[in-house]
Amino acid sequence: MEKADPKDAPTAVVVVDPDGQVCGWTDGGCELLGWTAEDTVGRPVTDLLVGSFPAGFPAGDGTDAAPSGLLTLRHRDGSSVDASVTVQRLFGPDGQVQGQVMTVQRWDRRPVIVDRAFEQCPFALGVYDPELRFLWINASSGRVIAHTEEQVLGKKYREVLPEFDRSLFPERDDKPYTDQLAEVARTGEPARLITVFRPLGSNYANAWATSIWPVRDAEGTVRAVANWGFDMSAEYWARQRLLLINEAGRDIGRTLDVIGTSQELARSAVPGFTDLVTVDLFDEVLRGEEPPSASLSTDGKTITLSRAARHSARQDDRNPGPPTPVTLAADSVAARCMAGGTSRVELAGEPGPGGEWAFGPGLAADPAHWPPGNPLIDARIAADGLTGRITVPLRTRGALLGVVTFSRTDRPEAFTADDLILAEELTAKAAVAIDNARRYSRERATALTLQRNLLPQRLPNQEAVDVASRYLPAGTGAEVGGDWFDVIPLSGARVALIVGDVVGHGLHAAAGMGRLRTAVRTLADVDLPPDELLTHLDDLVLHLASDLQPTSHFQTTAETGATCLYAVYDPVTRRLTLASAGHLLPLILSPDGTRTPVPAQPGPPLGIGGLPFEATEIELPEGSLLALYTDGLVENRERDVDQGIAELLRVLDPRAASLEALCDSVMDATLPEHRTDDAALLLARTRALDLQHVADWDVEPDFAQVPHIRKVAVEQVEAWGLENAVFVTELVVSELLTNAIRYGAPPIRLRLIRDTALICEVSDSSNTAPHLRRARAFDEGGRGLLLVAQLTQGWGTRHTSQGKTIWCAQSLSALL
């Protein structure tokens, strides 16, 4: 037998006869009031009262009802005791009332005060047996489940509340609340949880914070299960909105792509907030152009947009494909929202007789929380299968980009004023990201256009090497880089092969690349050796850095730190001369596939200044394969430069029939799917000029030698079958040799080369360069170079370590 808790007050039982005399008294009466049975039996029960019976209590004749209530009783020591008195009638065998039984308990001690406290508790309380049959619920619990205590006592929980026997969010794998109760009854382990449920007949889901615990006897056996809970719907849904906004802030804007960002917005709201989201944008936004004027007018005109995203909770109702046209009527809600710059909430339903609308719980129940003009009650949206729709104009930085709609189809809850705030917050975040993507797309397209226009549209015709090239910008999510390449025909049938990389990305890098490429072409026309050309290019970059005067002390020009590789190949000598300004050295493969080492070290990047560049010369067999490339081809996040070069060597095949096909194979094999840097590749297969097409003679510094050399030169031209070039060749040989003898220094040498042009070169050891001048009418000289310039397709001076070479070229296409 369990011991009584000392905090519990005794219970007194008083038997009163029909005449109102006490005829029975228990020990509890002595403990409670101090009176013994000898003191009270036979005396009127009214002697125990302080005052008289209140109205409604029995008078003692047995005809009155038997209510319960509070009475003030007299203690034997003269004090007063507030007590809770329950009166029950006492019947005899004949069914006649024999008296009354009064049960008396102190009001301010357990269990009376505790019973009242639990009964009046604003939280929902309940007690159930281990089989989950109702034993007791308080008034608050009765209001929540819409049942009285008398209606549920003895019934099973699943019978009374079937809605608690299923999870409202099955995708979360939540255990139904009834199963949670059964789990506590089975294991004896208490549980605390938040339960989201939709009461029967309600369109709104409520969130309750609940605790479940076992009720044990003195031996520790679970005799019952108790629970309590309170409605925390407002706090719960507010927290869910904050979580949704936080997730949307992380998910929206991850890609600098207008359509991708629109789809991120649509996915972020489904299914946590709504069932269907559409994002419609102006075509100008999709193209990266400036959107139309923010002051949109709908004067009877339709508005044409493009649906950039549509995401639904149903798998079969999504459009991951390209944007599709959408036409909005001038009087549509979306058009009015765009024109007015305000959001609209539409709810399916019919207004009441007086035009009122039955709002949902929470803020939705108070129209004062809604912005003016909201919500719009329109039974027509139900015909579209919707229970509600929020339309929000997509605006940012004073520009109107389009419109977003959030629709509910499967869930019955009507949108609330808080939902409108959430929809506007999501749209505002997406609007900034979409506009950033639009601006980036515009700048990237501009930079790409600029860069492609600055790169060679087609490689020039020349006979020194076979060439093929590729350039690929970085992926969609990255800016345009500054990689570039060029092929420049030089004098003497030679060719220059150049590849470079400008620091940075975007228009800044593209413009810097254009300046460098122009500078290299200008310096190449001067026919400088590779090391001297890079030295002049380095000085130019230093001057650009000072002339542009960056606005920030930490900002540099795009050319500063740029790299460049300049190589010159001579098909006559089969020699390659190269120098590098911080750029990766080329890969060279012999015709048999063996790698030819390049005994050189890259110099410093451009713009450093004060450091020398060294030229390296290599003799190559005919048919050698050269690969000039930028770091974007061989380096990425998954591999370092050495690994990339090894992969490039594996793919390169000097025996490939087509260099164009080989370029494609190299790009496919070496570049990752998601590129973060642009890449340039220039492949060249060397040729060797037939020695039968080259003739040279040493010339004594004597004017008498000129007729003889002129004669043998003409004979060589005729032997090549170029009779049409005899006259001009005779004239230019005479003029160039005469100038070399008169103004130059021995040794003097004449060379004729038959390539795509007939090239005449005269070399001497003097560094003095000739120049054109205007001869007066009676001058006897000064017209030689002018004649050379007029009769040939090009002429120039090339300085070497041994002196200089004056050259001129006649196009074979004009001679044959």
Side-chain angles (χ1 to χ4, degrees), residues 324-362:
T324 56
V326 175
T327 301
L328 303 178
D331 60 348
S332 65
V333 172
R336 295 200 301 269
C337 287
M338 296 172 67
T342 56
S343 305
R344 289 289 184 270
V345 179
E346 301 168 85
L347 300 178
E350 297 286 351
E356 73 282 355
W357 172 251
F359 290 94

mmCIF file of all heavy atoms in Angstrom, residues 324-362:
data_model
loop_
_atom_site.group_PDB
_atom_site.id
_atom_site.type_symbol
_atom_site.label_atom_id
_atom_site.label_comp_id
_atom_site.label_asym_id
_atom_site.label_seq_id
_atom_site.Cartn_x
_atom_site.Cartn_y
_atom_site.Cartn_z
ATOM 1 N N THR A 324 9.992 30.244 -72.732
ATOM 2 C CA THR A 324 8.858 30.259 -73.662
ATOM 3 C C THR A 324 8.129 31.587 -73.528
ATOM 4 O O THR A 324 8.063 32.171 -72.446
ATOM 5 C CB THR A 324 7.898 29.105 -73.359
ATOM 6 O OG1 THR A 324 7.472 29.182 -71.979
ATOM 7 C CG2 THR A 324 8.581 27.759 -73.588
ATOM 8 N N PRO A 325 7.540 32.091 -74.621
ATOM 9 C CA PRO A 325 6.844 33.382 -74.564
ATOM 10 C C PRO A 325 5.595 33.313 -73.684
ATOM 11 O O PRO A 325 4.885 32.304 -73.643
ATOM 12 C CB PRO A 325 6.477 33.655 -76.029
ATOM 13 C CG PRO A 325 7.340 32.741 -76.830
ATOM 14 C CD PRO A 325 7.598 31.544 -75.985
ATOM 15 N N VAL A 326 5.326 34.402 -72.990
ATOM 16 C CA VAL A 326 4.133 34.540 -72.147
ATOM 17 C C VAL A 326 3.534 35.909 -72.428
ATOM 18 O O VAL A 326 4.241 36.923 -72.401
ATOM 19 C CB VAL A 326 4.481 34.420 -70.647
ATOM 20 C CG1 VAL A 326 3.247 34.692 -69.799
ATOM 21 C CG2 VAL A 326 5.042 33.048 -70.341
ATOM 22 N N THR A 327 2.238 35.933 -72.717
ATOM 23 C CA THR A 327 1.553 37.195 -73.010
ATOM 24 C C THR A 327 0.591 37.512 -71.875
ATOM 25 O O THR A 327 -0.246 36.687 -71.504
ATOM 26 C CB THR A 327 0.783 37.098 -74.342
ATOM 27 O OG1 THR A 327 1.717 36.795 -75.390
ATOM 28 C CG2 THR A 327 0.098 38.416 -74.653
ATOM 29 N N LEU A 328 0.709 38.707 -71.312
ATOM 30 C CA LEU A 328 -0.158 39.161 -70.224
ATOM 31 C C LEU A 328 -1.136 40.192 -70.750
ATOM 32 O O LEU A 328 -0.739 41.146 -71.432
ATOM 33 C CB LEU A 328 0.678 39.773 -69.091
ATOM 34 C CG LEU A 328 1.754 38.879 -68.460
ATOM 35 C CD1 LEU A 328 2.503 39.672 -67.393
ATOM 36 C CD2 LEU A 328 1.143 37.631 -67.863
ATOM 37 N N ALA A 329 -2.403 39.981 -70.445
ATOM 38 C CA ALA A 329 -3.410 40.977 -70.818
ATOM 39 C C ALA A 329 -3.210 42.245 -69.998
ATOM 40 O O ALA A 329 -2.691 42.219 -68.873
ATOM 41 C CB ALA A 329 -4.810 40.415 -70.602
ATOM 42 N N ALA A 330 -3.633 43.362 -70.560
ATOM 43 C CA ALA A 330 -3.417 44.651 -69.886
ATOM 44 C C ALA A 330 -4.147 44.734 -68.554
ATOM 45 O O ALA A 330 -3.686 45.422 -67.635
ATOM 46 C CB ALA A 330 -3.851 45.792 -70.806
ATOM 47 N N ASP A 331 -5.300 44.037 -68.433
ATOM 48 C CA ASP A 331 -6.079 44.107 -67.195
ATOM 49 C C ASP A 331 -5.782 42.943 -66.253
ATOM 50 O O ASP A 331 -6.479 42.765 -65.249
ATOM 51 C CB ASP A 331 -7.576 44.129 -67.513
ATOM 52 C CG ASP A 331 -8.024 42.893 -68.279
ATOM 53 O OD1 ASP A 331 -7.139 42.148 -68.755
ATOM 54 O OD2 ASP A 331 -9.237 42.672 -68.401
ATOM 55 N N SER A 332 -4.777 42.143 -66.547
ATOM 56 C CA SER A 332 -4.447 41.017 -65.677
ATOM 57 C C SER A 332 -3.806 41.515 -64.391
ATOM 58 O O SER A 332 -3.269 42.630 -64.323
ATOM 59 C CB SER A 332 -3.503 40.050 -66.392
ATOM 60 O OG SER A 332 -2.257 40.674 -66.648
ATOM 61 N N VAL A 333 -3.890 40.687 -63.357
ATOM 62 C CA VAL A 333 -3.308 41.059 -62.066
ATOM 63 C C VAL A 333 -1.803 41.263 -62.207
ATOM 64 O O VAL A 333 -1.235 42.206 -61.661
ATOM 65 C CB VAL A 333 -3.623 39.979 -61.014
ATOM 66 C CG1 VAL A 333 -2.865 40.263 -59.716
ATOM 67 C CG2 VAL A 333 -5.110 39.915 -60.751
ATOM 68 N N ALA A 334 -1.140 40.392 -62.971
ATOM 69 C CA ALA A 334 0.317 40.511 -63.135
ATOM 70 C C ALA A 334 0.688 41.815 -63.819
ATOM 71 O O ALA A 334 1.645 42.498 -63.419
ATOM 72 C CB ALA A 334 0.848 39.316 -63.932
ATOM 73 N N ALA A 335 -0.069 42.194 -64.857
ATOM 74 C CA ALA A 335 0.222 43.439 -65.561
ATOM 75 C C ALA A 335 0.017 44.637 -64.651
ATOM 76 O O ALA A 335 0.798 45.589 -64.661
ATOM 77 C CB ALA A 335 -0.645 43.545 -66.806
ATOM 78 N N ARG A 336 -1.058 44.607 -63.850
ATOM 79 C CA ARG A 336 -1.306 45.732 -62.930
ATOM 80 C C ARG A 336 -0.235 45.799 -61.845
ATOM 81 O O ARG A 336 0.152 46.889 -61.420
ATOM 82 C CB ARG A 336 -2.699 45.595 -62.314
ATOM 83 C CG ARG A 336 -3.838 45.724 -63.320
ATOM 84 C CD ARG A 336 -5.152 46.066 -62.631
ATOM 85 N NE ARG A 336 -5.521 45.062 -61.651
ATOM 86 C CZ ARG A 336 -6.279 44.001 -61.902
ATOM 87 N NH1 ARG A 336 -6.730 43.794 -63.136
ATOM 88 N NH2 ARG A 336 -6.602 43.146 -60.958
ATOM 89 N N CYS A 337 0.231 44.641 -61.387
ATOM 90 C CA CYS A 337 1.303 44.642 -60.387
ATOM 91 C C CYS A 337 2.576 45.262 -60.962
ATOM 92 O O CYS A 337 3.253 46.053 -60.290
ATOM 93 C CB CYS A 337 1.596 43.216 -59.927
ATOM 94 S SG CYS A 337 0.345 42.499 -58.854
ATOM 95 N N MET A 338 2.892 44.911 -62.198
ATOM 96 C CA MET A 338 4.094 45.450 -62.818
ATOM 97 C C MET A 338 3.968 46.949 -63.050
ATOM 98 O O MET A 338 4.929 47.699 -62.853
ATOM 99 C CB MET A 338 4.365 44.724 -64.130
ATOM 100 C CG MET A 338 4.683 43.237 -63.967
ATOM 101 S SD MET A 338 4.773 42.345 -65.525
ATOM 102 C CE MET A 338 6.232 43.088 -66.241
ATOM 103 N N ALA A 339 2.785 47.367 -63.475
ATOM 104 C CA ALA A 339 2.587 48.788 -63.746
ATOM 105 C C ALA A 339 2.592 49.608 -62.458
ATOM 106 O O ALA A 339 3.142 50.708 -62.406
ATOM 107 C CB ALA A 339 1.284 48.993 -64.508
ATOM 108 N N GLY A 340 1.965 49.064 -61.403
ATOM 109 C CA GLY A 340 1.871 49.805 -60.153
ATOM 110 C C GLY A 340 3.034 49.588 -59.212
ATOM 111 O O GLY A 340 3.191 50.339 -58.239
ATOM 112 N N GLY A 341 3.826 48.547 -59.450
ATOM 113 C CA GLY A 341 4.958 48.279 -58.582
ATOM 114 C C GLY A 341 4.571 47.734 -57.231
ATOM 115 O O GLY A 341 5.356 47.810 -56.281
ATOM 116 N N THR A 342 3.352 47.167 -57.107
ATOM 117 C CA THR A 342 2.889 46.622 -55.835
ATOM 118 C C THR A 342 2.522 45.156 -56.003
ATOM 119 O O THR A 342 2.205 44.698 -57.105
ATOM 120 C CB THR A 342 1.671 47.390 -55.316
ATOM 121 O OG1 THR A 342 0.630 47.372 -56.319
ATOM 122 C CG2 THR A 342 2.030 48.830 -55.005
ATOM 123 N N SER A 343 2.541 44.428 -54.894
ATOM 124 C CA SER A 343 2.211 43.001 -54.913
ATOM 125 C C SER A 343 0.726 42.812 -54.684
ATOM 126 O O SER A 343 0.041 43.670 -54.105
ATOM 127 C CB SER A 343 3.005 42.264 -53.833
ATOM 128 O OG SER A 343 4.388 42.494 -53.990
ATOM 129 N N ARG A 344 0.229 41.673 -55.119
ATOM 130 C CA ARG A 344 -1.184 41.341 -54.949
ATOM 131 C C ARG A 344 -1.307 39.903 -54.464
ATOM 132 O O ARG A 344 -0.587 39.012 -54.907
ATOM 133 C CB ARG A 344 -1.939 41.475 -56.277
ATOM 134 C CG ARG A 344 -2.116 42.910 -56.739
ATOM 135 C CD ARG A 344 -3.124 43.658 -55.857
ATOM 136 N NE ARG A 344 -3.372 45.001 -56.343
ATOM 137 C CZ ARG A 344 -2.685 46.072 -55.991
ATOM 138 N NH1 ARG A 344 -1.694 45.942 -55.117
ATOM 139 N NH2 ARG A 344 -2.970 47.256 -56.480
ATOM 140 N N VAL A 345 -2.273 39.717 -53.540
ATOM 141 C CA VAL A 345 -2.610 38.384 -53.042
ATOM 142 C C VAL A 345 -4.041 38.082 -53.468
ATOM 143 O O VAL A 345 -4.949 38.863 -53.211
ATOM 144 C CB VAL A 345 -2.495 38.307 -51.506
ATOM 145 C CG1 VAL A 345 -2.889 36.910 -51.010
ATOM 146 C CG2 VAL A 345 -1.094 38.643 -51.068
ATOM 147 N N GLU A 346 -4.214 36.942 -54.143
ATOM 148 C CA GLU A 346 -5.541 36.494 -54.555
ATOM 149 C C GLU A 346 -5.880 35.229 -53.784
ATOM 150 O O GLU A 346 -5.069 34.306 -53.694
ATOM 151 C CB GLU A 346 -5.567 36.187 -56.054
ATOM 152 C CG GLU A 346 -5.198 37.369 -56.942
ATOM 153 C CD GLU A 346 -4.964 36.922 -58.359
ATOM 154 O OE1 GLU A 346 -5.947 36.814 -59.122
ATOM 155 O OE2 GLU A 346 -3.797 36.667 -58.706
ATOM 156 N N LEU A 347 -7.093 35.204 -53.225
ATOM 157 C CA LEU A 347 -7.556 34.046 -52.479
ATOM 158 C C LEU A 347 -8.810 33.514 -53.134
ATOM 159 O O LEU A 347 -9.707 34.285 -53.528
ATOM 160 C CB LEU A 347 -7.841 34.411 -51.022
ATOM 161 C CG LEU A 347 -6.663 34.962 -50.207
ATOM 162 C CD1 LEU A 347 -7.115 35.314 -48.807
ATOM 163 C CD2 LEU A 347 -5.515 33.954 -50.164
ATOM 164 N N ALA A 348 -8.873 32.210 -53.266
ATOM 165 C CA ALA A 348 -10.062 31.590 -53.840
ATOM 166 C C ALA A 348 -11.154 31.547 -52.786
ATOM 167 O O ALA A 348 -10.911 31.204 -51.631
ATOM 168 C CB ALA A 348 -9.744 30.175 -54.321
ATOM 169 N N GLY A 349 -12.374 31.893 -53.157
ATOM 170 C CA GLY A 349 -13.490 31.851 -52.222
ATOM 171 C C GLY A 349 -14.547 32.855 -52.582
ATOM 172 O O GLY A 349 -14.392 33.652 -53.519
ATOM 173 N N GLU A 350 -15.610 32.823 -51.846
ATOM 174 C CA GLU A 350 -16.722 33.746 -52.044
ATOM 175 C C GLU A 350 -16.843 34.633 -50.820
ATOM 176 O O GLU A 350 -16.800 34.154 -49.689
ATOM 177 C CB GLU A 350 -18.027 32.969 -52.258
ATOM 178 C CG GLU A 350 -18.044 32.097 -53.498
ATOM 179 C CD GLU A 350 -18.183 32.913 -54.768
ATOM 180 O OE1 GLU A 350 -18.433 34.127 -54.657
ATOM 181 O OE2 GLU A 350 -18.031 32.341 -55.854
ATOM 182 N N PRO A 351 -16.984 35.914 -50.991
ATOM 183 C CA PRO A 351 -17.213 36.792 -49.840
ATOM 184 C C PRO A 351 -18.526 36.440 -49.155
ATOM 185 O O PRO A 351 -19.420 35.836 -49.758
ATOM 186 C CB PRO A 351 -17.259 38.194 -50.458
ATOM 187 C CG PRO A 351 -16.642 38.030 -51.807
ATOM 188 C CD PRO A 351 -16.939 36.640 -52.249
ATOM 189 N N GLY A 352 -18.625 36.820 -47.885
ATOM 190 C CA GLY A 352 -19.859 36.592 -47.144
ATOM 191 C C GLY A 352 -20.972 37.506 -47.617
ATOM 192 O O GLY A 352 -20.811 38.334 -48.517
ATOM 193 N N PRO A 353 -22.152 37.362 -47.010
ATOM 194 C CA PRO A 353 -23.312 38.167 -47.447
ATOM 195 C C PRO A 353 -23.045 39.663 -47.385
ATOM 196 O O PRO A 353 -23.533 40.430 -48.205
ATOM 197 C CB PRO A 353 -24.416 37.741 -46.471
ATOM 198 C CG PRO A 353 -23.984 36.404 -45.962
ATOM 199 C CD PRO A 353 -22.505 36.430 -45.938
ATOM 200 N N GLY A 354 -22.272 40.066 -46.403
ATOM 201 C CA GLY A 354 -21.982 41.488 -46.278
ATOM 202 C C GLY A 354 -20.695 41.899 -46.955
ATOM 203 O O GLY A 354 -20.198 43.003 -46.727
ATOM 204 N N GLY A 355 -20.142 41.016 -47.770
ATOM 205 C CA GLY A 355 -18.889 41.330 -48.459
ATOM 206 C C GLY A 355 -17.664 41.026 -47.634
ATOM 207 O O GLY A 355 -16.540 41.225 -48.066
ATOM 208 N N GLU A 356 -17.879 40.485 -46.396
ATOM 209 C CA GLU A 356 -16.729 40.191 -45.551
ATOM 210 C C GLU A 356 -16.091 38.885 -45.987
ATOM 211 O O GLU A 356 -16.683 38.076 -46.688
ATOM 212 C CB GLU A 356 -17.155 40.110 -44.081
ATOM 213 C CG GLU A 356 -17.952 38.847 -43.707
ATOM 214 C CD GLU A 356 -19.411 38.904 -44.148
ATOM 215 O OE1 GLU A 356 -19.831 39.960 -44.658
ATOM 216 O OE2 GLU A 356 -20.108 37.887 -43.980
ATOM 217 N N TRP A 357 -14.877 38.672 -45.519
ATOM 218 C CA TRP A 357 -14.137 37.452 -45.867
ATOM 219 C C TRP A 357 -13.669 36.791 -44.583
ATOM 220 O O TRP A 357 -13.172 37.437 -43.670
ATOM 221 C CB TRP A 357 -12.937 37.786 -46.733
ATOM 222 C CG TRP A 357 -12.017 36.617 -46.968
ATOM 223 C CD1 TRP A 357 -10.791 36.435 -46.456
ATOM 224 C CD2 TRP A 357 -12.286 35.461 -47.765
ATOM 225 N NE1 TRP A 357 -10.255 35.255 -46.878
ATOM 226 C CE2 TRP A 357 -11.149 34.627 -47.685
ATOM 227 C CE3 TRP A 357 -13.366 35.042 -48.534
ATOM 228 C CZ2 TRP A 357 -11.069 33.415 -48.336
ATOM 229 C CZ3 TRP A 357 -13.275 33.833 -49.194
ATOM 230 C CH2 TRP A 357 -12.156 33.038 -49.096
ATOM 231 N N ALA A 358 -13.857 35.475 -44.509
ATOM 232 C CA ALA A 358 -13.448 34.724 -43.320
ATOM 233 C C ALA A 358 -11.954 34.444 -43.420
ATOM 234 O O ALA A 358 -11.549 33.525 -44.124
ATOM 235 C CB ALA A 358 -14.234 33.426 -43.206
ATOM 236 N N PHE A 359 -11.162 35.239 -42.730
ATOM 237 C CA PHE A 359 -9.712 35.073 -42.802
ATOM 238 C C PHE A 359 -9.272 33.877 -41.968
ATOM 239 O O PHE A 359 -9.977 33.422 -41.067
ATOM 240 C CB PHE A 359 -8.995 36.331 -42.295
ATOM 241 C CG PHE A 359 -9.143 37.504 -43.211
ATOM 242 C CD1 PHE A 359 -10.138 38.435 -43.021
ATOM 243 C CD2 PHE A 359 -8.280 37.658 -44.276
ATOM 244 C CE1 PHE A 359 -10.266 39.513 -43.867
ATOM 245 C CE2 PHE A 359 -8.400 38.739 -45.126
ATOM 246 C CZ PHE A 359 -9.407 39.674 -44.923
ATOM 247 N N GLY A 360 -8.075 33.421 -42.281
ATOM 248 C CA GLY A 360 -7.499 32.318 -41.531
ATOM 249 C C GLY A 360 -6.969 32.799 -40.201
ATOM 250 O O GLY A 360 -7.160 33.949 -39.805
ATOM 251 N N PRO A 361 -6.295 31.921 -39.453
ATOM 252 C CA PRO A 361 -5.802 32.286 -38.126
ATOM 253 C C PRO A 361 -4.612 33.218 -38.213
ATOM 254 O O PRO A 361 -4.055 33.453 -39.268
ATOM 255 C CB PRO A 361 -5.392 30.919 -37.546
ATOM 256 C CG PRO A 361 -5.004 30.112 -38.742
ATOM 257 C CD PRO A 361 -5.939 30.551 -39.830
ATOM 258 N N GLY A 362 -4.206 33.692 -37.049
ATOM 259 C CA GLY A 362 -2.999 34.516 -36.989
ATOM 260 C C GLY A 362 -3.209 35.877 -37.606
ATOM 261 O O GLY A 362 -4.269 36.481 -37.540
#
